Structure formats: C-alpha cells, structure tokens
Amino acid sequence: MRTLAVVLWAVAGVLLVLGFVSRGDTSALLVPIPSLFIAFVAWAVLWRPRLLLTPEALVVVDVRRTSSYAWPRVTGVRTKYGLEVQSTEPDRRTWIAPRPTARLRLDRPGGSVPLTVDQAAAEVLASVPAQAPQDGPPPATVTAHPIVHRAHGWTILAITVLAIAASMAAARL
C-alpha cells in the first residue's frame, strides 16, 4: 500500500506541474489544491495506517482513529473483511486493509515489516497471552486493562475540507 502512496504522490506532483503550465487566467493559488488533496489522502489512507506490537499493547493506527489494546484485553483477530480486532469490548473493524490480500506494515520493537492481512493476524494472535486459570472467587477489586481509542478528527476534517476545496478548484481550472 505504501508503493501506491508513492505513485499517488508522483501523480500529485505531475498534476501540480501541469496545473501551473496550463492554468490560463486562473489564480495560481487554486493550482496546488487538488494535488494537496491527493497527497494528503495518500498519506492518511495508504502510508499512515499500521499495526504496532509492543510488549504492553497492540496499537492499531488506521484512517479514523488510533486504538491501543492492552494484551490481556485482546481475545482474537478476524480477517474476513480486512482486519478486525476482537477484545472484551465490542469488536472494532479497523480501516487498514480492505481486502485480505492487501499488504500492510507491522511495527515491532525489532523493526518494521510488510505483511499480508493474514500474516499480520497470525503475528497478533501469537502475541495474545493465554488466559490465566482462575482458582476460587474473583478478587474484590479489579482494575481493567485499558483500551484507548483516539479519533483522528483533524485528519478527517482535513480530508473533507481539502476534498471540497479540490473539487471547487478543479472546476475553476
């Protein structure tokens, strides 16, 4: 997916040059807007998404949000329609890889590797700890391991604003 991002950045650069060459009477301020939209979407949708395996948590960075799951809360991973993390809260489908054959990036303490969705799911499942057997009643106080979701509000807003601006600018060009 990162290769496609680089291709889209090259296309955005070519469109920028072509826009300045053939802009005619149109303002020079309108020319870079469609290219900025293409470049930003390529970064947000194709370059930025990744899985990060740390000793403490599984971190999933997708287009809409960054989710951090403490390992004891992860119960499984499904790969039918992309990647879906199963946990002790309702399942969340990530917007990383829309098809099982897509390539994505898996970051771990040793480095980053490109994997298919199934390979990434296998890596995540290998990191899920086994359930500890419970003998006797549960403890009186239990502190839940965290699951944190942080929305990428500025990214979604920027994509929306740039899409509208790029459409208007392209109509003027």
Side-chain angles (χ1 to χ4, degrees):
M1 293 180 47
R2 288 183 151 217
T3 304
L4 182 57
V6 172
V7 168
L8 285 175
W9 290 332
V11 167
V14 169
L15 287 177
L16 184 66
V17 172
L18 289 175
F20 277 116
V21 169
S22 63
R23 73 180 169 91
D25 295 337
T26 307
S27 172
L29 296 175
L30 295 177
V31 173
I33 296 174
S35 294
L36 284 173
F37 172 68
I38 292 170
F40 189 77
V41 167
W43 172 78
V45 175
L46 300 171
W47 190 272
R48 183 182 190 190
R50 66 189 179 280
L51 295 173
L52 176 61
L53 302 179
T54 67
E56 301 83 32
L58 164 66
V59 179
V60 180
V61 180
D62 69 4
V63 176
R64 299 169 293 167
R65 67 181 163 260
T66 298
S67 300
S68 178
Y69 299 87
W71 282 116
R73 299 284 300 267
V74 177
T75 59
V77 178
R78 281 191 286 217
T79 60
K80 186 173 182 180
Y81 302 110
L83 191 68
E84 188 172 320
V85 176
Q86 297 172 307
S87 67
T88 54
E89 72 173 15
D91 297 346
R92 296 230 181 201
R93 184 169 292 142
T94 62
W95 196 9
I96 286 184
R99 64 188 195 288
T101 58
R103 305 281 292 174
L104 54 91
R105 189 178 84 196
L106 178 72
D107 293 338
R108 43 188 143 155
S112 175
V113 292
L115 299 172
T116 65
V117 174
D118 289 331
Q119 291 169 335
E123 288 271 344
V124 170
L125 287 175
S127 299
V128 173
Q131 294 291 333
Q134 182 176 343
D135 295 334
T141 60
V142 176
T143 304
H145 293 280
I147 296 178
V148 180
H149 303 289
R150 185 177 53 86
H152 296 163
W154 290 109
T155 302
I156 301 301
L157 179 65
I159 288 174
T160 304
V161 168
L162 280 172
I164 293 168
S167 298
M168 294 172 63
R172 293 290 309 225
L173 293 175

